Amino acid sequence: MKSNKSTSLFPRELVLESLKQSFVKLNPRLMVKNPVMFTVEICTVLMIVATLYFLFAGITDQGSFGYNVAVSIILFITLLFANFAEAIAEARGKAQADSLRKTREETPAKMIVNGKVQVISSSQLKKGDVFECEAGDVIPSDGEIIEGLASIDESAITGESAPVIREAGGDKSSVTGGTKVLSDKIRVQVTTQPGESFLDKMIALVEGASRKKTPNEIALSTLLVSLTIIFLIVIVTLYPIGMYCGVQLPLSTLIALMVCLIPTTIGGLLSAIGIAGMDRVTRFNVIAMSGKAVEACGDVDTMILDKTGTITFGNRLAADFFPVEGASRSDLIRCAALTSLHDETPEGKSTLELARRLGDSSEEIPGSSFIEFTAQTRMSGVDLPDGTKVRKGASDAIEQYVTSQGGKIPSDLHAHVEKVSSLGGTPLVVCQNNQVLGVIYLKDTVKPGMAERFERLRAIGIKTIMCTGDNPLTAATIAKEAGVDGFIAECKPEDKISVIKKEQAEGKIVAMTGDGTNDAPALAQANVGLAMNSGTTAAKEAANMVDLDSDPTKILEVVEIGKQLLITRGSLTTFSIANDIAKYFAIIPAMFMAAIPQLGVLNIMHLSTQNSAILSALIFNAIIIPCLIPLAMKGVKYRPMSSGKMLARNMMIYGLGGVVTPFIGIKIIDMVITPILTAMGI
């Protein structure tokens, strides 16, 4: 899977485009969408106008011209840095959209009209039209295979080089426009209108055209606006307080204090965090239909997972050999291996692999004739040059074969078959000529590392429920091995909906994976529905996320990305608000200490002058935004833990760090700029 590949955060081309967009975004109609930075823009314009007015009007009691110019420049740079943070996040999405757009090139479509092939442009295809594709053709539009079977190269969409099989009927019938047919011939019925294909939706989503603010983002924006209004009132009241104390507060100082105290850090990074969150999901080859879906992942309490293909491998694999009375285990293993040398099914491959692990080294004998499995015979095998016939297959099929060869059925065969069945496995019986040798135990095999992954989810308070059509005994065995918190045996589609509704009624956020039409109702009911790209159109339309790799376990990564998004936003908000404490200690003493010497106790940084103190705070306020862009883009590193521990950890790192860092940063800046300001006479 290519999805999680490492790429540079700041490629040269994206940086240049983002710098250009930083100026474009100064448009007030765009800035007003971010109230905090719009306030900074108003302050910047006001400061520039005031500076020019003071100059031409000859007003000297509002600070020196050089000082006012410095404040204006720093405010303008603050705006550019905030716009750059958003622009670089958007640019990464647009670059990815461009690469996706290349897969949507105009391709000819072999449309079936009255039973004849008519070549037209892919853009002319409408919903309901039928087209044909054969080896080498690019599929012109999204659709469902109605006839045939073919191997499909989906690397243009997923990045996965291995071809996949798509066939008419079932849950593997969906194909995506832009993918390529590698073998055979298929007929496909178009399921979308022009411009509304899955790839079109992907491009729009990645570009951010369809992105809307999430509830969490709206709530945070409301908080930031409230803080801005509060600090605005504080600044307005400071002027009469200063007059009462005999302190003339220049307009530039009041504006500087305003910009420093409002949460500009998180205000400048808020949009970038949201865009980057969706971008991270996309880089895992998951397309989120909205930012709300990504965010909801961060609040998931319960996860519903199918057993087959999600927790276990899609096919049952060989786990053990049980010889019958009168047969040796070594003969059973040898014959099972011989029948599996050319058996390309997962069952056959796993049988040969298990035999090799147990020491068997049987090789193909020249002149052997291999018998493929068919639905009619329900067995496969090999005829050796010396006339020996070895077979493996279903119990009743092998029993019938042995009997027809004049052989007898061992007395303990049924006991072995029932033992395997009671364990929830599939028994395959092996025979040589007319002698039954024993049983191959095929079992549902839990994917490696699943137990650890479920333990990771448990550590962060997420309950996992496995759904399976198996009997309760088999389900319990798999559930225990996998380490899930609960299971539903003999599960029907309505059972999935019932358990989702039950969890939601308790106020929990539920996530689910699925790929079939029968999963569509449950995917729509769940708060987070992750559909497989290989699945049916109904499943993809019902879900709010689609996994291009068709990996059902991907939801585990998606949940962590959602958590990371929320944590990043919370951590940087904490850091931003904590910043204000240091800026308060930098500016307030500088403003009033001359008139109120008692405020000297607050001057813990011992900054050089009033002007250097204010400018140092402003400079730090500006440069901290680009410094935090990598963190906003990559996200705060996520570790599974309880919400209480997570809060305490983030308060320690970003709360305490947000207080300490500005003290150090402002002091260093003050030491650097003081000689410069002295030389300039400011």
Side-chain angles (χ1 to χ4, degrees), residues 85-383:
E86 184 176 11
I88 193 72
E90 289 177 345
R92 283 166 65 86
K94 288 176 181 177
Q96 192 172 6
D98 289 338
S99 69
L100 290 170
R101 194 176 281 108
K102 292 177 182 177
T103 69
R104 196 195 51 181
E105 297 173 350
E106 282 294 312
T107 55
K110 301 175 182 177
M111 189 171 75
I112 309 298
V113 182
N114 298 323
K116 296 181 179 179
V117 175
Q118 181 179 334
V119 180
I120 64 170
S121 170
S122 60
S123 60
Q124 295 178 262
L125 288 172
K126 305 183 300 295
K127 189 175 182 179
D129 288 344
V130 176
F131 62 85
E132 177 179 281
C133 283
E134 55 189 354
D137 290 344
V138 175
I139 297 173
S141 181
D142 295 359
E144 297 275 352
I145 300 175
I146 57 175
E147 185 181 319
L149 172 150
S151 59
I152 309 289
D153 177 9
E154 296 185 344
S155 58
I157 304 294
T158 67
E160 183 63 52
S161 58
V164 295
I165 303 297
R166 297 285 180 261
E167 58 185 326
D171 295 339
K172 304 294 183 183
S173 61
S174 176
V175 292
T176 304
T179 58
K180 189 176 183 179
V181 178
L182 298 179
S183 69
D184 302 288
K185 181 187 289 186
I186 52 174
R187 285 197 173 184
V188 181
Q189 186 173 44
V190 179
T191 56
T192 60
Q193 297 290 358
E196 297 178 359
S197 70
F198 185 59
L199 198 56
D200 287 307
K201 292 177 182 177
M202 285 166 53
I203 292 168
L205 288 162
V206 173
E207 285 183 324
S210 302
R211 185 178 179 272
K212 297 179 180 177
K213 283 191 175 182
T214 64
N216 182 276
E217 208 168 345
I218 292 170
L220 186 53
S221 295
T222 304
L223 171 64
L224 300 183
V225 170
S226 302
L227 288 173
T228 301
I229 293 171
I230 290 169
F231 283 121
L232 181 60
I233 296 171
V234 170
I235 300 304
V236 171
T237 59
L238 273 179
Y239 188 78
I241 292 173
M243 293 291 289
Y244 177 78
C245 297
V247 179
Q248 179 75 32
L249 296 176
L251 179 64
S252 54
T253 298
L254 292 173
I255 289 176
L257 183 62
M258 174 71 184
V259 171
C260 283
L261 292 187
I262 64 175
T264 50
T265 305
I266 186 62
L269 295 171
L270 186 58
S271 295
I273 295 169
I275 297 169
M278 289 190 69
D279 181 63
R280 280 196 295 276
V281 172
T282 306
R283 290 179 187 277
F284 270 87
N285 275 358
V286 175
I287 297 299
M289 300 308 177
S290 68
K292 184 179 179 180
V294 182
E295 200 166 88
C297 290
D299 291 322
V300 166
D301 301 294
T302 304
M303 193 178 295
I304 312 293
L305 305 106
D306 285 329
K307 184 204 72 175
T308 306
T310 304
I311 295 173
T312 64
F313 290 104
N315 301 92
R316 291 181 171 179
L317 307 178
D320 205 350
F321 298 100
F322 298 126
V324 295
E325 188 178 355
S328 70
R329 181 177 168 87
S330 59
D331 284 342
L332 170 61
I333 295 172
R334 177 180 58 81
C335 289
L338 286 172
T339 63
S340 303
L341 289 172
H342 283 250
D343 188 348
E344 295 301 317
T345 65
E347 294 86 351
K349 289 179 178 178
S350 68
T351 298
L352 183 61
E353 184 182 341
L354 178 61
R356 294 287 191 249
R357 287 206 308 267
L358 295 174
D360 179 78
S361 58
S362 300
E363 299 292 341
E364 181 180 346
I365 300 173
S368 299
S369 176
F370 288 89
I371 312 300
E372 291 186 4
F373 176 88
T374 66
Q376 288 75 31
T377 62
R378 295 193 296 147
M379 60 182 175
S380 61
V382 58
D383 292 342

Side-chain angles (χ1 to χ4, degrees), residues 394-449:
S395 175
D396 56 343
I398 295 295
E399 286 182 31
Q400 187 177 349
Y401 176 81
V402 169
T403 303
S404 69
Q405 297 290 319
K408 293 184 178 181
I409 306 303
S411 58
D412 61 341
L413 175 62
H414 289 169
H416 284 301
V417 169
E418 289 174 6
K419 177 184 177 183
V420 170
S421 299
S422 67
L423 293 171
T426 298
L428 285 182
V429 179
V430 179
C431 70
Q432 180 175 287
N433 295 324
N434 63 357
Q435 181 188 2
V436 175
L437 298 178
V439 177
I440 304 172
Y441 172 26
L442 300 179
K443 64 168 291 189
D444 280 313
T445 303
V446 175
K447 294 178 179 179

